[in-house]
Amino acid sequence: MTAATLPPPRETGGPSAWLRQNLFSTWYHTVLTVVVAVLIGLFLWQVGWWAVSEARWGVVTTNLRLFLVGQYPFEQAWRIWLSLATLSVLAGLSAGRYGTAVRTLAMWLAAGQLLLGGLAAISGMALAVPALLLLNAALVWIAFLVSVRRPLPRRALLFGWIASVPISFLLLSGANAVGLPTVSTNLWGGLLLTVLIATVGIVLSFPFGVLLALGRRSDLPAVRLLSTTFIEVVRGVPLVTVLFMADIMLPLFLPGDVRVDRVARAIGGITLFSAAYVAENVRGGLQAIPTGQIEAANALGLSAVQRNRFIVMPQALRSVIPANVGLFISLLKDTTLVVIVGLLELLGIGRAVLAQSEWFGAQLEVYVFIGAVFFVLCYTMSQASYRLEEALGVGQR
Amino acid sequence: MIERKDGQDPRVDDERPAKPVADVIVARDVHKWFGQLHVLRGINLTVRAGEVVVIFGASGSGKSTFIRTINRLEEHQRGQIIVDGIELSDDIRNIAAVRREIGMVFQQFNLFPHLTALQNVTLAPVRVRGWSRDKADQAAMGILERVGIPEQAHKYPAQLSGGQQQRVAIARALAMQPKIMLFDEPTSALDPEMISEVLDVMRELAESGMTMICVTHEMGFARAVANRMVYFDEGLIVEEGPPEQIFGSPQQARTRQFLSQILH
């Protein structure tokens, strides 16, 4: 007698069945469910009541400008807008050219600008601010649509991104030589400074970390020793110390007439710090590559550089995406530490605002706001990372 | 040990081969140590163009190590290896030149998991030979057809069966248009039902006149395809000869014993 081919057992479904199974299966489960539900409800009610009726959100709305750009001079604000517009267009163009990960980032950039625009509108800022933010969000979308129709070559986009960093920096800081009044970086602040430090830090520390990881596995003893020493020293020291060193010690070592900007020093410190961690993550990925891969590449006649570029690195980097994104998320949050070298990023501005006498005691409102902004930024990064993992098939092939 | 070999094989002599084209691989007194372990203890072997040589022997006998010295995946520490007139030395240009002549197929396939089958095959022609993408794609599709899996070209290795992966690996090696193919136990990691599809490809390749060295225990394949069989034991060539001799009247007691263990 041959066994019949049976259909799989039917799933007993429906939300009510799920509820019964998971929340109300026995009398003590039912009691627990009810008690916990009541507690959660009470908590949410309290928080909601506080947020709606007690909280003095005026501390955020009246100081919104400070939170966003610090003390950047009002009449020079167009430079920030121009930088932001560049970023929006580049993000939109890239979203049309690349896959879902870049699209997620661009989508969140547009959404974030809309969110800020809404916030600016209800804060009673000049109408131009929400209007321009709306326009910027639209720019992301328009650039995306254009790029989907006629994708730019990758090389042009890459060049655009690389060029945009110094150009934006120059635009924001100004140069008397070209007739742009300089804006001292002491005046930069808030979200602008947070995003700037984090973005440049992430973008620079990644390639530097990859080089360090390769250096640590190099056949040349001098390169290996230098890389290992750098990684171990930096990892053995708290970030606060590195920032202090960058801020106070560096000028002592440089000749008197060479002045490195304070923001640049902070970015440098954070970059070096994060690069050491990137290097160790990447080294983990490199070690996971089976020797058979390297032998196959050698047997095909690939050179050492080609082997690393086409075989080893793509696999190693792909497998360490989760670890690296985690690292970059903590880098973003660690930018709050630049407060100790006198830079007022988002959290620093928050403290400065709280020092104003009329907002005495409004800590909760300020920190809730800052926390929410950081959450949106970090959540964006982690979502983009999931999309990237899906697109590259991490854990599947 | 060397005298014995010299006496048996008139093609191995102390002068450089007059026509390097005829003797595409010449190994003379090749030694290799792993730490204290002496794994190759003086290997002499000459392979002529178009010849199919099957190497067999117990695991640990040095057969895999030996064929890996031929394209310098392992370095030999004494003796000479000359491939197509180029002697292997520390000079990376020589190593690169030799590797361009030799394709290799591994026991564990070693396909690049982040690339599709087609990309696996075209990578080296594009990056090493400098072919255009179109030319490489066309050639690769031709080779994938030859190994019987053109419909799998756009799949990733993890989506293929073991036999299909090994055929992609053979295609990848062939795409570089090598003069010599090395097979290092190409069917040992395969499920039994997939072995024949790989052996069929290898047989077709041998019939097309490719010079091949195969480390394998597929004795049916050896009997049908090999021009010469070489028995390795403890880092030495114990016996070599045409399949009829090896299977019919092996000269050495150790060869007889080994064959009786693997041929039931």
Side-chain angles (χ1 to χ4, degrees):
Chain A
M1 189 183 111
T2 53
T5 313
L6 296 173
R10 216 161 62 84
E11 303 222 346
T12 45
S16 63
W18 185 90
L19 279 177
R20 213 168 327 113
Q21 263 175 25
N22 290 287
L23 299 176
F24 301 104
S25 54
T26 61
W27 67 266
Y28 48 89
H29 278 189
T30 310
V31 170
L32 270 178
T33 302
V34 170
V35 169
V36 170
V38 167
L39 285 178
I40 291 176
L42 275 177
F43 174 76
L44 287 180
W45 173 257
Q46 292 282 333
V47 170
W49 179 253
W50 171 81
V52 172
S53 63
E54 282 177 24
R56 296 187 294 158
W57 291 115
V59 66
V60 172
T61 52
T62 46
N63 294 304
L64 191 59
R65 185 186 167 76
L66 273 178
F67 278 114
L68 295 186
V69 297
Q71 292 166 289
Y72 203 89
F74 188 74
E75 62 280 4
Q76 301 294 339
W78 63 271
R79 286 148 68 166
I80 299 177
W81 288 117
L82 198 57
S83 301
L84 199 57
T86 317
L87 180 70
S88 298
V89 170
L90 271 175
L93 290 177
S94 305
R97 182 71 182 78
Y98 292 96
T100 48
V102 182
R103 271 179 209 186
T104 307
L105 281 177
M107 193 190 78
W108 278 89
L109 178 68
Q113 292 185 115
L114 285 180
L115 216 64
L116 280 180
L119 201 59
I122 57 170
S123 302
M125 286 179 107
L127 205 61
V129 176
L132 281 169
L133 279 166
L134 187 68
L135 183 71
N136 253 312
L139 269 182
V140 177
W141 187 244
I142 292 167
F144 169 69
L145 289 181
V146 169
S147 173
V148 166
R149 295 263 162 73
R150 296 189 52 191
L152 274 95
R154 283 171 190 232
R155 204 163 291 212
L157 279 174
L158 192 68
F159 180 78
W161 280 109
I162 291 171
S164 74
V165 173
I167 288 176
S168 298
F169 206 85
L170 205 67
L171 189 64
L172 290 175
S173 66
N176 288 328
V178 290
L180 269 179
T182 49
V183 178
S184 161
T185 51
N186 290 339
L187 299 176
W188 305 15
L191 188 60
L192 170 70
L193 193 57
T194 298
V195 170
L196 184 83
I197 293 177
T199 314
V200 179
I202 289 168
V203 169
L204 292 183
S205 68
F206 183 66
F208 190 41
V210 169
L211 286 181
L212 277 174
L214 286 174
R216 190 162 185 174
R217 287 165 58 98
S218 165
D219 292 332
L220 307 170
V223 174
R224 199 167 54 231
L225 186 71
L226 272 176
S227 308
T228 310
T229 311
F230 176 88
I231 291 169
E232 292 306 332
V233 167
V234 170
R235 288 208 310 163
V237 168
L239 176 58
V240 174
T241 322
V242 175
L243 286 174
F244 262 126
M245 292 275 284
D247 195 52
I248 298 165
M249 304 283 279
L250 191 68
L252 296 181
F253 292 121
L254 292 173
D257 51 341
V258 177
R259 289 186 61 89
V260 180
D261 181 84
R262 175 173 281 194
V263 170
R265 289 199 300 253
I267 289 177
I270 284 185
T271 302
L272 294 184
F273 188 78
S274 152
Y277 287 86
V278 171
E280 286 300 274
N281 279 348
V282 171
R283 193 167 68 95
L286 289 175
Q287 278 171 345
I289 306 285
T291 47
Q293 292 289 305
I294 292 160
E295 287 178 354
N298 284 342
L300 284 172
L302 297 180
S303 70
V305 173
Q306 289 173 328
R307 192 180 66 213
N308 273 326
R309 180 162 161 220
F310 300 115
I311 307 302
V312 177
M313 273 302 159
Q315 294 183 60
L317 294 183
R318 197 179 68 175
S319 66
V320 298
I321 290 172
N324 266 342
V325 171
L327 182 63
F328 290 148
I329 285 176
S330 69
L331 182 150
L332 172 72
K333 293 183 290 188
D334 283 347
T335 57
T336 49
L337 289 172
V338 299
V339 142
I340 61 141
V341 294
L343 291 172
L344 295 181
E345 48 60 69
L346 198 52
L347 192 64
I349 289 285
R351 292 216 195 141
V353 164
L354 286 172
Q356 300 167 359
S357 54
E358 69 264 43
W359 298 115
F360 192 74
Q363 277 93 342
L364 202 50
E365 290 83 347
V366 167
Y367 288 128
V368 164
F369 171 67
I370 292 173
V373 172
F374 269 108
F375 176 77
V376 170
L377 292 177
C378 295
Y379 190 69
T380 305
M381 285 168 73
S382 88
Q383 286 301 307
S385 130
Y386 295 144
R387 296 290 167 289
L388 192 62
E389 285 168 36
E390 276 167 26
L392 295 178
V394 174
Q396 283 163 39
R397 48 177 195 253
Chain B
M1 59 188 93
I2 297 157
E3 285 87 337
R4 184 189 60 75
K5 272 286 296 100
D6 281 351
Q8 265 191 356
D9 191 342
R11 270 180 285 106
V12 177
D13 56 27
D14 285 330
E15 283 160 45
R16 279 184 82 84
K19 283 182 187 160
V21 186
D23 289 346
V24 282
I25 298 172
V26 179
R28 286 200 193 102
D29 192 27
V30 172
H31 287 256
K32 166 85 188 165
W33 287 261
F34 285 131
Q36 291 296 310
L37 195 65
H38 198 173
V39 286
L40 298 181
R41 303 193 292 153
I43 302 293
N44 290 288
L45 187 72
T46 303
V47 178
R48 278 171 300 171
E51 216 180 355
V52 176
V53 175
V54 163
I55 299 179
F56 67 107
S59 68
S61 60
K63 54 197 192 310
S64 281
T65 308
F66 172 66
I67 71 163
R68 287 155 59 86
T69 58
I70 296 173
N71 65 350
R72 197 67 166 194
L73 291 184
E74 303 285 355
E75 199 176 315
H76 61 286
Q77 285 138 317
R78 225 172 81 189
Q80 257 187 329
I81 297 175
I82 300 161
V83 178
D84 202 28
I86 308 162
E87 179 171 359
L88 275 170
S89 64
D90 287 332
D91 190 337
I92 43 173
R93 278 166 305 179
N94 276 5
I95 297 173
V98 165
R99 283 177 177 164
R100 270 197 295 275
E101 307 292 340
I102 300 179
M104 186 158 194
V105 176
F106 300 88
Q107 181 178 358
Q108 299 294 341
F109 327 139
N110 295 346
L111 289 179
F112 305 129
H114 61 301
L115 302 177
T116 63
L118 185 67
Q119 288 167 335
N120 264 282
V121 178
T122 56
L123 180 78
V126 170
R127 301 296 170 185
V128 180
R129 291 247 190 256
W131 290 7
S132 73
R133 168 105 16 225
D134 282 346
K135 181 181 175 191
D137 277 351
Q138 244 173 15
M141 283 312 295
I143 298 168
L144 285 175
E145 223 150 283
R146 187 172 166 195
V147 300
I149 41 173
E151 72 284 359
Q152 313 290 351
H154 297 286
K155 289 196 183 163
Y156 287 91
Q159 298 165 312
L160 302 176
S161 73
Q164 290 170 334
Q165 288 191 53
Q166 193 61 296
R167 285 189 281 163
V168 173
I170 294 173
R172 179 176 69 177
L174 288 178
M176 286 293 281
Q177 303 180 328
K179 290 191 179 147
I180 303 156
M181 287 284 286
L182 305 177
F183 292 84
D184 187 2
E185 306 207 29
T187 55
S188 301
L190 293 175
D191 290 334
E193 75 272 21
M194 294 171 182
I195 290 176
S196 67
E197 67 187 55
V198 171
L199 291 181
D200 286 346
V201 170
M202 289 170 66
R203 185 171 296 135
E204 187 267 329
L205 199 57
E207 281 159 9
S208 76
M210 175 68 76
T211 311
M212 293 164 58
I213 301 185
C214 314
V215 172
T216 183
H217 290 142
E218 292 299 330
M219 288 301 151
F221 170 81
R223 195 192 293 266
V225 179
N227 300 112
R228 192 148 48 109
M229 294 180 67
V230 178
Y231 175 55
F232 264 58
D233 193 27
E234 295 183 341
L236 283 171
I237 294 179
V238 173
E239 179 166 0
E240 62 174 289
E244 306 81 66
Q245 176 198 323
I246 298 290
F247 290 116
S249 55
Q251 310 292 303
Q252 302 290 323
R254 278 191 284 172
T255 317
R256 265 197 300 276
Q257 199 200 346
F258 183 77
L259 282 172
S260 74
Q261 279 166 356
I262 62 169
L263 301 170
H264 309 290

